[in-house]
Amino acid sequence: MAVPRAPAAVTLYLFISVAAAVASASAVDFNYPAVFNFGDSNSDTGGLVAGIGDILDPPYGQTYFRRPAGRFCDGRLIIDFLRNKFKKYIPPADFFSRGLYMFDIGQNDLAGAFYSKSEDQIIASIPTILLEFETGVKKLYDQGARNFWIHNTGPLGCLAQNVAQFGKDPSKLDEYGCVSSHNRAAKLFNLQLHALCTKLQAQFVDANVTYIDIFTIKSDLIANYSRYGFEHPVTVCCGYGGPPLNYDSRIRCGQTKILDGSSVTAKGCSDATDYVNWDGIHYTDAANQFVSSQILTGKYSDPPFSDKMPFLLKLKF
């Protein structure tokens, strides 16, 4: 979640899954024996729920798992689509040097900061956030990690949570109904993250560092949602309050509470495949599948690998 959780660049959650996964830069063999994922709730497959006892109630998980499955989504996350074996175990020691190390961070650091800092202060803090990230990556490298897959952060201003809190003044919104300040900060964060990835690739001459432009993929989805089969780019599927956002910060997806003297429930929509946003902060299974399909084209990576893809997901888009 964007507000209550600690900065993702400082407190990272480790999730292990076995995969014959997507590629990194120059050594594209599609045969990584393990994927080690560091990230916030956009890629959390159960660490937060297990670690601090956070509870996810139905309708979380309704689309794919048919029950809450530790994921802040109605179904699968991007990492679920980027792997094809579901057997999980702690990998043997030699997997650590041969595995793929994925990172999906930035959303918590930036979105949470807007509650207490100005836009200028947040932008000024980006180098410090990325220094923490760089330190963590170097520690992994020193311990044998050689394949790094790094997602930049998405258009934070298009999340209903941020629109509800910071977009009450229409002049603060862009043409797509997104909070301009949040997206500006995300773009500056991503520029500096990209530069850091280029720096790390130069330093780690025996490693592969692949930067993935999630911001562009998700921004395209928001701007052209109907082209990709969606009906609602910002409105929440599982929430409360009705149009235009169907989001109320006082009640989380699946909860029942007394609000303004009445008992209300934040319910899921009838068809989540029509929605980009699941609960105001996280994407739906369908939207995550779309993002994954774009990642796997290889066009949004640096270095690109579109000419080396041995497969593409068969999707409806």
Side-chain angles (χ1 to χ4, degrees), residues 17-23 29-35 81-87 100 296 310-311:
S17 62
V18 177
V22 292
D29 61 12
F30 296 91
N31 194 31
Y32 297 107
V35 175
F81 289 104
L82 298 185
R83 64 182 187 174
N84 60 17
K85 293 175 185 178
F86 287 91
K87 181 182 177 183
L100 182 67
L296 290 175
F311 64 91

Side-chain angles (χ1 to χ4, degrees), residues 2-290:
V3 177
R5 291 182 57 177
V10 179
T11 306
L12 298 177
Y13 294 89
L14 174 62
F15 313 108
I16 301 176
S17 62
V18 177
V22 292
S24 70
S26 59
V28 184
D29 61 12
F30 296 91
N31 194 31
Y32 297 107
V35 175
F36 303 92
N37 181 69
F38 295 81
D40 55 27
S41 52
N42 286 310
S43 59
D44 184 342
T45 58
L48 177 62
V49 174
I52 65 173
D54 199 4
I55 298 174
L56 294 181
D57 298 312
Y60 280 97
Q62 69 176 19
T63 297
Y64 185 79
F65 300 100
R66 308 301 181 189
R67 60 179 176 78
R71 293 157 172 81
F72 287 81
C73 182
D74 62 308
R76 294 158 291 182
L77 307 178
I78 291 173
I79 189 173
D80 291 311
F81 289 104
L82 298 185
R83 64 182 187 174
N84 60 17
K85 293 175 185 178
F86 287 91
K87 181 182 177 183
K88 300 177 183 178
Y89 61 95
I90 302 298
D94 66 320
F95 279 15
F96 287 92
S97 61
R98 296 191 291 136
L100 182 67
Y101 289 76
M102 295 182 65
F103 298 85
D104 191 321
I105 66 170
Q107 179 170 316
N108 288 355
D109 304 272
L110 299 178
F114 270 98
Y115 284 82
S116 59
K117 297 179 181 180
S118 68
E119 181 180 350
D120 288 342
Q121 289 175 320
I122 292 168
I123 291 171
S125 72
I126 291 174
T128 301
I129 296 172
L130 292 179
L131 179 60
E132 293 285 346
F133 175 68
E134 180 180 5
T135 299
V137 170
K138 287 183 175 178
K139 286 182 178 179
L140 288 172
Y141 177 83
D142 290 341
Q143 295 178 28
R146 289 298 182 268
N147 300 299
F148 299 95
W149 182 272
I150 299 170
H151 289 181
N152 69 13
T153 198
L156 312 178
C158 300
L159 299 175
Q161 181 192 59
N162 295 326
V163 177
Q165 179 68 30
F166 300 97
K168 297 181 176 67
D169 180 353
S171 68
K172 304 294 185 182
L173 302 177
D174 64 17
E175 60 184 305
Y176 303 111
C178 304
V179 184
S180 300
S181 58
H182 285 60
N183 284 351
R184 283 194 298 266
K187 288 178 181 178
L188 289 170
F189 176 89
N190 291 338
L191 282 172
Q192 295 183 49
L193 176 62
H194 194 181
L196 174 59
C197 290
T198 301
K199 170 187 171 182
L200 291 174
Q201 182 63 80
Q203 290 181 348
F204 303 160
V205 294
D206 60 338
N208 298 292
V209 180
T210 304
Y211 171 86
I212 308 296
D213 188 4
I214 297 295
F215 185 97
T216 295
I217 297 173
K218 289 186 174 180
S219 294
D220 176 49
L221 174 57
I222 297 295
N224 301 292
Y225 63 94
S226 60
R227 179 190 303 173
Y228 301 118
F230 294 89
E231 295 183 12
H232 306 284
V234 178
T235 304
V236 172
C237 171
C238 184
Y240 172 77
L245 296 177
N246 194 37
Y247 178 82
D248 190 318
S249 61
R250 298 174 296 175
I251 180 169
R252 193 172 75 174
C253 169
Q255 289 185 330
T256 298
K257 284 187 175 182
I258 303 296
L259 296 183
D260 303 322
S262 301
S263 177
V264 298
T265 301
K267 299 179 180 179
C269 58
S270 59
D271 188 357
T273 63
D274 290 338
Y275 291 75
V276 171
N277 197 279
W278 167 243
D279 59 4
I281 303 171
H282 311 95
Y283 279 32
T284 61
D285 179 280
N288 284 329
Q289 187 179 48
F290 170 82

